[in-house]
Amino acid sequence: MQKAIKLAEKGRGRTSPNPLVGAVVVKNGMVVGEGYHAKAGEPHAEIIAIRGAAKAARDATLYVTLEPCCTYGKTPPCTEEIISSGIKRVVIGLIDPNPKVNGRGVDELKKAQIEVLTGLLEKKVAKQNEIYVKYITTKSPFVLMKSAISFDGKITSKNGQPAWITNEKSRRIVHELRNTYDAILIGVNTIIADNPILNTRLNRNNLKNPLRIIVDSNARIPLKAKVVETAKEIPTLLATTKNAPAKKIETLNKMGVQILELPDEKGEVDLKSLLKELGKKETASIILEGGARLNSSFIKKGFVDKMIFFVAPKIIGGNKSLNFITNTDVSVDFIFDKIRLAQGDLLIEAYPKANQIVEG
């Protein structure tokens, strides 16, 4: 199962909205087939592993991280091929929380007289698939809030101007995240202040640029913003309200920006409606990159599923410098999950106490 989990990881960032799945076929103590789900719409891990094993699959054991599917989607049910292959035993890490499966795959295998064991390294598999588990059970994206801060929680220079807070290693990790998540979400104030391009910059091939989402209730985004000028090359969505000027919206749309008009809450984009609509678009994961007001709103409303902080060993100070949150009413308990060094910066991963996933 450990090997299957490692195989599953090879598909990270490419299977959405499907889960990460790895599979290994073992016979007489030897691995005779292995596979992982590489991309949505392509064969599932079990199918690849069984076909790799060929005739050796008969009377063998299949180890698979997630319960085999039993429904027709973009691919046929995995249970059918498992049964026809002659596999005699299936060991599963996690029962698929998808309401269309959720134990039905196990039932079909058992009806075919296949021995089934479940729950092996279950918490580890659930942690690996935390994005899928959240999305498939709620139809709302998994939200990772990312922030690069100083010791005193600042995200700008002491004069309030944009500045690099953390080191090159930390910034490279951020681009690794962008290469695996479906979308980046940012507020228009950050666009106006920093003019970021929000793409993925790594020295390798086959990079993925996530959907860029700008929350902008009144369409204040400059037409010269980098995200607007590159909207025809990199998917870009403006989340706005009926208060946005129609002519500006028309211009943005012609420049390649997708427009999503949403209900407003006290004049601001209703964030719950935004997440619901993104879920309908099969956006399973989002990196929330601020700024401070948006961070505060997401935390206060309970929409943050995980936080990652890059903490630089410096104090910035200054009355004009900005903190990563602005709302003093925000009060949420988090639990640290991982803490490590990134070439001098401190990298902290944490979960809200209410929905922490603990790895077994």
PDB file of all heavy atoms in Angstrom, residues 310-339:
ATOM      1  N   PHE A 310       4.729  31.000   5.011  1.00  0.00           N
ATOM      2  CA  PHE A 310       6.167  31.093   4.814  1.00  0.00           C
ATOM      3  C   PHE A 310       6.617  32.274   5.670  1.00  0.00           C
ATOM      4  O   PHE A 310       6.294  33.426   5.358  1.00  0.00           O
ATOM      5  CB  PHE A 310       6.494  31.324   3.338  1.00  0.00           C
ATOM      6  CG  PHE A 310       6.031  30.204   2.447  1.00  0.00           C
ATOM      7  CD1 PHE A 310       4.750  30.221   1.902  1.00  0.00           C
ATOM      8  CD2 PHE A 310       6.859  29.128   2.155  1.00  0.00           C
ATOM      9  CE1 PHE A 310       4.307  29.189   1.083  1.00  0.00           C
ATOM     10  CE2 PHE A 310       6.426  28.099   1.333  1.00  0.00           C
ATOM     11  CZ  PHE A 310       5.153  28.130   0.808  1.00  0.00           C
ATOM     12  N   VAL A 311       7.319  31.989   6.747  1.00  0.00           N
ATOM     13  CA  VAL A 311       7.675  33.024   7.711  1.00  0.00           C
ATOM     14  C   VAL A 311       9.151  33.374   7.563  1.00  0.00           C
ATOM     15  O   VAL A 311      10.027  32.525   7.761  1.00  0.00           O
ATOM     16  CB  VAL A 311       7.389  32.567   9.154  1.00  0.00           C
ATOM     17  CG1 VAL A 311       7.626  33.714  10.124  1.00  0.00           C
ATOM     18  CG2 VAL A 311       5.956  32.046   9.286  1.00  0.00           C
ATOM     19  N   ALA A 312       9.428  34.633   7.220  1.00  0.00           N
ATOM     20  CA  ALA A 312      10.803  35.101   7.054  1.00  0.00           C
ATOM     21  C   ALA A 312      11.354  35.560   8.407  1.00  0.00           C
ATOM     22  O   ALA A 312      10.615  36.146   9.215  1.00  0.00           O
ATOM     23  CB  ALA A 312      10.846  36.246   6.051  1.00  0.00           C
ATOM     24  N   PRO A 313      12.624  35.310   8.671  1.00  0.00           N
ATOM     25  CA  PRO A 313      13.215  35.687   9.967  1.00  0.00           C
ATOM     26  C   PRO A 313      13.554  37.175  10.017  1.00  0.00           C
ATOM     27  O   PRO A 313      14.713  37.574  10.047  1.00  0.00           O
ATOM     28  CB  PRO A 313      14.470  34.810  10.032  1.00  0.00           C
ATOM     29  CG  PRO A 313      14.867  34.620   8.613  1.00  0.00           C
ATOM     30  CD  PRO A 313      13.586  34.568   7.834  1.00  0.00           C
ATOM     31  N   LYS A 314      12.514  38.008   9.977  1.00  0.00           N
ATOM     32  CA  LYS A 314      12.719  39.455  10.019  1.00  0.00           C
ATOM     33  C   LYS A 314      11.504  40.135  10.640  1.00  0.00           C
ATOM     34  O   LYS A 314      10.386  39.606  10.582  1.00  0.00           O
ATOM     35  CB  LYS A 314      12.967  40.007   8.616  1.00  0.00           C
ATOM     36  CG  LYS A 314      11.791  39.817   7.659  1.00  0.00           C
ATOM     37  CD  LYS A 314      12.068  40.347   6.256  1.00  0.00           C
ATOM     38  CE  LYS A 314      13.039  39.473   5.496  1.00  0.00           C
ATOM     39  NZ  LYS A 314      13.143  39.869   4.062  1.00  0.00           N
ATOM     40  N   ILE A 315      11.718  41.271  11.238  1.00  0.00           N
ATOM     41  CA  ILE A 315      10.633  42.121  11.730  1.00  0.00           C
ATOM     42  C   ILE A 315      10.611  43.361  10.857  1.00  0.00           C
ATOM     43  O   ILE A 315      11.630  44.041  10.708  1.00  0.00           O
ATOM     44  CB  ILE A 315      10.839  42.495  13.211  1.00  0.00           C
ATOM     45  CG1 ILE A 315      10.678  41.239  14.090  1.00  0.00           C
ATOM     46  CG2 ILE A 315       9.832  43.565  13.637  1.00  0.00           C
ATOM     47  CD1 ILE A 315      10.992  41.469  15.551  1.00  0.00           C
ATOM     48  N   ILE A 316       9.454  43.669  10.289  1.00  0.00           N
ATOM     49  CA  ILE A 316       9.353  44.786   9.353  1.00  0.00           C
ATOM     50  C   ILE A 316       8.919  46.067  10.051  1.00  0.00           C
ATOM     51  O   ILE A 316       9.473  47.136   9.831  1.00  0.00           O
ATOM     52  CB  ILE A 316       8.396  44.437   8.204  1.00  0.00           C
ATOM     53  CG1 ILE A 316       9.034  43.339   7.323  1.00  0.00           C
ATOM     54  CG2 ILE A 316       8.056  45.666   7.364  1.00  0.00           C
ATOM     55  CD1 ILE A 316       8.169  42.845   6.207  1.00  0.00           C
ATOM     56  N   GLY A 317       7.916  45.957  10.928  1.00  0.00           N
ATOM     57  CA  GLY A 317       7.459  47.140  11.648  1.00  0.00           C
ATOM     58  C   GLY A 317       6.835  48.173  10.729  1.00  0.00           C
ATOM     59  O   GLY A 317       6.467  47.896   9.593  1.00  0.00           O
ATOM     60  N   GLY A 318       6.716  49.403  11.219  1.00  0.00           N
ATOM     61  CA  GLY A 318       6.155  50.486  10.412  1.00  0.00           C
ATOM     62  C   GLY A 318       4.650  50.593  10.558  1.00  0.00           C
ATOM     63  O   GLY A 318       3.941  49.583  10.552  1.00  0.00           O
ATOM     64  N   ASN A 319       4.164  51.822  10.683  1.00  0.00           N
ATOM     65  CA  ASN A 319       2.729  52.040  10.850  1.00  0.00           C
ATOM     66  C   ASN A 319       1.928  51.810   9.573  1.00  0.00           C
ATOM     67  O   ASN A 319       0.723  51.588   9.607  1.00  0.00           O
ATOM     68  CB  ASN A 319       2.467  53.465  11.353  1.00  0.00           C
ATOM     69  CG  ASN A 319       3.014  53.693  12.751  1.00  0.00           C
ATOM     70  OD1 ASN A 319       3.035  52.760  13.553  1.00  0.00           O
ATOM     71  ND2 ASN A 319       3.455  54.919  13.037  1.00  0.00           N
ATOM     72  N   LYS A 320       2.604  51.856   8.427  1.00  0.00           N
ATOM     73  CA  LYS A 320       1.912  51.715   7.146  1.00  0.00           C
ATOM     74  C   LYS A 320       1.973  50.294   6.581  1.00  0.00           C
ATOM     75  O   LYS A 320       1.319  50.001   5.573  1.00  0.00           O
ATOM     76  CB  LYS A 320       2.496  52.693   6.134  1.00  0.00           C
ATOM     77  CG  LYS A 320       2.274  54.155   6.491  1.00  0.00           C
ATOM     78  CD  LYS A 320       2.866  55.073   5.431  1.00  0.00           C
ATOM     79  CE  LYS A 320       2.649  56.540   5.783  1.00  0.00           C
ATOM     80  NZ  LYS A 320       3.234  57.445   4.760  1.00  0.00           N
ATOM     81  N   SER A 321       2.775  49.447   7.194  1.00  0.00           N
ATOM     82  CA  SER A 321       2.892  48.071   6.696  1.00  0.00           C
ATOM     83  C   SER A 321       1.607  47.310   6.964  1.00  0.00           C
ATOM     84  O   SER A 321       0.906  47.559   7.954  1.00  0.00           O
ATOM     85  CB  SER A 321       4.072  47.363   7.355  1.00  0.00           C
ATOM     86  OG  SER A 321       3.943  47.387   8.766  1.00  0.00           O
ATOM     87  N   LEU A 322       1.291  46.365   6.073  1.00  0.00           N
ATOM     88  CA  LEU A 322       0.025  45.627   6.164  1.00  0.00           C
ATOM     89  C   LEU A 322       0.230  44.254   6.767  1.00  0.00           C
ATOM     90  O   LEU A 322       1.215  43.563   6.473  1.00  0.00           O
ATOM     91  CB  LEU A 322      -0.595  45.478   4.770  1.00  0.00           C
ATOM     92  CG  LEU A 322      -0.951  46.774   4.038  1.00  0.00           C
ATOM     93  CD1 LEU A 322      -1.542  46.435   2.671  1.00  0.00           C
ATOM     94  CD2 LEU A 322      -1.911  47.623   4.842  1.00  0.00           C
ATOM     95  N   ASN A 323      -0.732  43.829   7.582  1.00  0.00           N
ATOM     96  CA  ASN A 323      -0.753  42.459   8.102  1.00  0.00           C
ATOM     97  C   ASN A 323      -1.469  41.547   7.117  1.00  0.00           C
ATOM     98  O   ASN A 323      -2.176  42.011   6.225  1.00  0.00           O
ATOM     99  CB  ASN A 323      -1.457  42.402   9.449  1.00  0.00           C
ATOM    100  CG  ASN A 323      -0.595  42.983  10.557  1.00  0.00           C
ATOM    101  OD1 ASN A 323      -0.495  44.195  10.680  1.00  0.00           O
ATOM    102  ND2 ASN A 323       0.018  42.133  11.331  1.00  0.00           N
ATOM    103  N   PHE A 324      -1.309  40.226   7.285  1.00  0.00           N
ATOM    104  CA  PHE A 324      -1.937  39.292   6.352  1.00  0.00           C
ATOM    105  C   PHE A 324      -3.443  39.206   6.562  1.00  0.00           C
ATOM    106  O   PHE A 324      -4.156  38.696   5.709  1.00  0.00           O
ATOM    107  CB  PHE A 324      -1.289  37.904   6.435  1.00  0.00           C
ATOM    108  CG  PHE A 324      -1.652  37.107   7.655  1.00  0.00           C
ATOM    109  CD1 PHE A 324      -2.672  36.163   7.614  1.00  0.00           C
ATOM    110  CD2 PHE A 324      -0.968  37.281   8.849  1.00  0.00           C
ATOM    111  CE1 PHE A 324      -3.004  35.420   8.733  1.00  0.00           C
ATOM    112  CE2 PHE A 324      -1.292  36.531   9.974  1.00  0.00           C
ATOM    113  CZ  PHE A 324      -2.315  35.602   9.922  1.00  0.00           C
ATOM    114  N   ILE A 325      -3.944  39.676   7.707  1.00  0.00           N
ATOM    115  CA  ILE A 325      -5.391  39.840   7.896  1.00  0.00           C
ATOM    116  C   ILE A 325      -5.641  41.233   8.458  1.00  0.00           C
ATOM    117  O   ILE A 325      -4.762  41.840   9.056  1.00  0.00           O
ATOM    118  CB  ILE A 325      -6.017  38.773   8.831  1.00  0.00           C
ATOM    119  CG1 ILE A 325      -5.368  38.801  10.217  1.00  0.00           C
ATOM    120  CG2 ILE A 325      -5.918  37.392   8.227  1.00  0.00           C
ATOM    121  CD1 ILE A 325      -6.062  37.912  11.215  1.00  0.00           C
ATOM    122  N   THR A 326      -6.859  41.736   8.266  1.00  0.00           N
ATOM    123  CA  THR A 326      -7.168  43.094   8.728  1.00  0.00           C
ATOM    124  C   THR A 326      -8.286  43.114   9.761  1.00  0.00           C
ATOM    125  O   THR A 326      -8.395  44.060  10.533  1.00  0.00           O
ATOM    126  CB  THR A 326      -7.629  43.970   7.550  1.00  0.00           C
ATOM    127  OG1 THR A 326      -8.798  43.387   6.954  1.00  0.00           O
ATOM    128  CG2 THR A 326      -6.535  44.091   6.505  1.00  0.00           C
ATOM    129  N   ASN A 327      -9.109  42.084   9.778  1.00  0.00           N
ATOM    130  CA  ASN A 327     -10.301  42.091  10.625  1.00  0.00           C
ATOM    131  C   ASN A 327      -9.950  41.623  12.033  1.00  0.00           C
ATOM    132  O   ASN A 327      -9.595  40.470  12.247  1.00  0.00           O
ATOM    133  CB  ASN A 327     -11.374  41.182  10.012  1.00  0.00           C
ATOM    134  CG  ASN A 327     -12.726  41.405  10.662  1.00  0.00           C
ATOM    135  OD1 ASN A 327     -12.820  41.686  11.849  1.00  0.00           O
ATOM    136  ND2 ASN A 327     -13.780  41.281   9.869  1.00  0.00           N
ATOM    137  N   THR A 328     -10.057  42.510  12.995  1.00  0.00           N
ATOM    138  CA  THR A 328      -9.707  42.156  14.375  1.00  0.00           C
ATOM    139  C   THR A 328     -10.731  41.218  15.021  1.00  0.00           C
ATOM    140  O   THR A 328     -10.492  40.682  16.104  1.00  0.00           O
ATOM    141  CB  THR A 328      -9.588  43.428  15.236  1.00  0.00           C
ATOM    142  OG1 THR A 328     -10.807  44.183  15.140  1.00  0.00           O
ATOM    143  CG2 THR A 328      -8.434  44.290  14.766  1.00  0.00           C
ATOM    144  N   ASP A 329     -11.882  41.030  14.352  1.00  0.00           N
ATOM    145  CA  ASP A 329     -12.893  40.113  14.890  1.00  0.00           C
ATOM    146  C   ASP A 329     -12.596  38.655  14.555  1.00  0.00           C
ATOM    147  O   ASP A 329     -13.276  37.746  15.038  1.00  0.00           O
ATOM    148  CB  ASP A 329     -14.281  40.464  14.328  1.00  0.00           C
ATOM    149  CG  ASP A 329     -14.786  41.796  14.856  1.00  0.00           C
ATOM    150  OD1 ASP A 329     -14.343  42.192  15.948  1.00  0.00           O
ATOM    151  OD2 ASP A 329     -15.600  42.437  14.173  1.00  0.00           O
ATOM    152  N   VAL A 330     -11.609  38.419  13.682  1.00  0.00           N
ATOM    153  CA  VAL A 330     -11.286  37.050  13.283  1.00  0.00           C
ATOM    154  C   VAL A 330     -10.662  36.310  14.448  1.00  0.00           C
ATOM    155  O   VAL A 330      -9.665  36.743  15.027  1.00  0.00           O
ATOM    156  CB  VAL A 330     -10.318  37.042  12.078  1.00  0.00           C
ATOM    157  CG1 VAL A 330      -9.837  35.634  11.794  1.00  0.00           C
ATOM    158  CG2 VAL A 330     -11.015  37.619  10.850  1.00  0.00           C
ATOM    159  N   SER A 331     -11.255  35.172  14.815  1.00  0.00           N
ATOM    160  CA  SER A 331     -10.724  34.359  15.911  1.00  0.00           C
ATOM    161  C   SER A 331     -11.013  32.893  15.618  1.00  0.00           C
ATOM    162  O   SER A 331     -12.152  32.448  15.727  1.00  0.00           O
ATOM    163  CB  SER A 331     -11.373  34.768  17.242  1.00  0.00           C
ATOM    164  OG  SER A 331     -10.869  33.965  18.293  1.00  0.00           O
ATOM    165  N   VAL A 332      -9.992  32.168  15.199  1.00  0.00           N
ATOM    166  CA  VAL A 332     -10.139  30.755  14.836  1.00  0.00           C
ATOM    167  C   VAL A 332      -8.956  29.973  15.384  1.00  0.00           C
ATOM    168  O   VAL A 332      -7.814  30.444  15.325  1.00  0.00           O
ATOM    169  CB  VAL A 332     -10.202  30.579  13.292  1.00  0.00           C
ATOM    170  CG1 VAL A 332     -10.357  29.104  12.934  1.00  0.00           C
ATOM    171  CG2 VAL A 332     -11.339  31.382  12.705  1.00  0.00           C
ATOM    172  N   ASP A 333      -9.205  28.808  15.924  1.00  0.00           N
ATOM    173  CA  ASP A 333      -8.127  27.940  16.411  1.00  0.00           C
ATOM    174  C   ASP A 333      -7.640  27.038  15.286  1.00  0.00           C
ATOM    175  O   ASP A 333      -8.441  26.415  14.581  1.00  0.00           O
ATOM    176  CB  ASP A 333      -8.610  27.070  17.575  1.00  0.00           C
ATOM    177  CG  ASP A 333      -8.834  27.870  18.846  1.00  0.00           C
ATOM    178  OD1 ASP A 333      -8.178  28.931  18.984  1.00  0.00           O
ATOM    179  OD2 ASP A 333      -9.645  27.446  19.680  1.00  0.00           O
ATOM    180  N   PHE A 334      -6.327  26.976  15.121  1.00  0.00           N
ATOM    181  CA  PHE A 334      -5.700  26.097  14.143  1.00  0.00           C
ATOM    182  C   PHE A 334      -4.788  25.108  14.849  1.00  0.00           C
ATOM    183  O   PHE A 334      -4.366  25.331  15.985  1.00  0.00           O
ATOM    184  CB  PHE A 334      -4.886  26.914  13.126  1.00  0.00           C
ATOM    185  CG  PHE A 334      -5.725  27.663  12.135  1.00  0.00           C
ATOM    186  CD1 PHE A 334      -6.302  28.878  12.457  1.00  0.00           C
ATOM    187  CD2 PHE A 334      -5.955  27.143  10.873  1.00  0.00           C
ATOM    188  CE1 PHE A 334      -7.085  29.572  11.547  1.00  0.00           C
ATOM    189  CE2 PHE A 334      -6.734  27.821   9.945  1.00  0.00           C
ATOM    190  CZ  PHE A 334      -7.300  29.035  10.286  1.00  0.00           C
ATOM    191  N   ILE A 335      -4.499  24.019  14.172  1.00  0.00           N
ATOM    192  CA  ILE A 335      -3.573  23.020  14.690  1.00  0.00           C
ATOM    193  C   ILE A 335      -2.428  22.867  13.701  1.00  0.00           C
ATOM    194  O   ILE A 335      -2.658  22.646  12.504  1.00  0.00           O
ATOM    195  CB  ILE A 335      -4.274  21.660  14.897  1.00  0.00           C
ATOM    196  CG1 ILE A 335      -5.357  21.785  15.972  1.00  0.00           C
ATOM    197  CG2 ILE A 335      -3.272  20.577  15.284  1.00  0.00           C
ATOM    198  CD1 ILE A 335      -6.147  20.517  16.204  1.00  0.00           C
ATOM    199  N   PHE A 336      -1.194  23.003  14.179  1.00  0.00           N
ATOM    200  CA  PHE A 336      -0.035  22.818  13.314  1.00  0.00           C
ATOM    201  C   PHE A 336       0.035  21.371  12.844  1.00  0.00           C
ATOM    202  O   PHE A 336      -0.150  20.442  13.623  1.00  0.00           O
ATOM    203  CB  PHE A 336       1.257  23.167  14.048  1.00  0.00           C
ATOM    204  CG  PHE A 336       1.432  24.631  14.343  1.00  0.00           C
ATOM    205  CD1 PHE A 336       2.106  25.055  15.473  1.00  0.00           C
ATOM    206  CD2 PHE A 336       0.920  25.594  13.491  1.00  0.00           C
ATOM    207  CE1 PHE A 336       2.278  26.404  15.746  1.00  0.00           C
ATOM    208  CE2 PHE A 336       1.079  26.948  13.748  1.00  0.00           C
ATOM    209  CZ  PHE A 336       1.762  27.353  14.887  1.00  0.00           C
ATOM    210  N   ASP A 337       0.318  21.203  11.559  1.00  0.00           N
ATOM    211  CA  ASP A 337       0.446  19.861  11.004  1.00  0.00           C
ATOM    212  C   ASP A 337       1.893  19.549  10.650  1.00  0.00           C
ATOM    213  O   ASP A 337       2.409  18.502  10.997  1.00  0.00           O
ATOM    214  CB  ASP A 337      -0.439  19.735   9.757  1.00  0.00           C
ATOM    215  CG  ASP A 337      -0.406  18.344   9.156  1.00  0.00           C
ATOM    216  OD1 ASP A 337      -0.817  17.401   9.846  1.00  0.00           O
ATOM    217  OD2 ASP A 337       0.037  18.203   7.998  1.00  0.00           O
ATOM    218  N   LYS A 338       2.547  20.489   9.940  1.00  0.00           N
ATOM    219  CA  LYS A 338       3.952  20.308   9.576  1.00  0.00           C
ATOM    220  C   LYS A 338       4.692  21.622   9.753  1.00  0.00           C
ATOM    221  O   LYS A 338       4.181  22.687   9.419  1.00  0.00           O
ATOM    222  CB  LYS A 338       4.085  19.841   8.120  1.00  0.00           C
ATOM    223  CG  LYS A 338       3.555  18.443   7.859  1.00  0.00           C
ATOM    224  CD  LYS A 338       3.718  18.072   6.391  1.00  0.00           C
ATOM    225  CE  LYS A 338       3.145  16.678   6.110  1.00  0.00           C
ATOM    226  NZ  LYS A 338       3.243  16.331   4.665  1.00  0.00           N
ATOM    227  N   ILE A 339       5.906  21.538  10.261  1.00  0.00           N
ATOM    228  CA  ILE A 339       6.772  22.701  10.409  1.00  0.00           C
ATOM    229  C   ILE A 339       8.159  22.304   9.930  1.00  0.00           C
ATOM    230  O   ILE A 339       8.718  21.307  10.389  1.00  0.00           O
ATOM    231  CB  ILE A 339       6.840  23.183  11.869  1.00  0.00           C
ATOM    232  CG1 ILE A 339       5.434  23.518  12.386  1.00  0.00           C
ATOM    233  CG2 ILE A 339       7.752  24.387  11.997  1.00  0.00           C
ATOM    234  CD1 ILE A 339       5.398  23.885  13.861  1.00  0.00           C
TER     235      ILE A 339
END
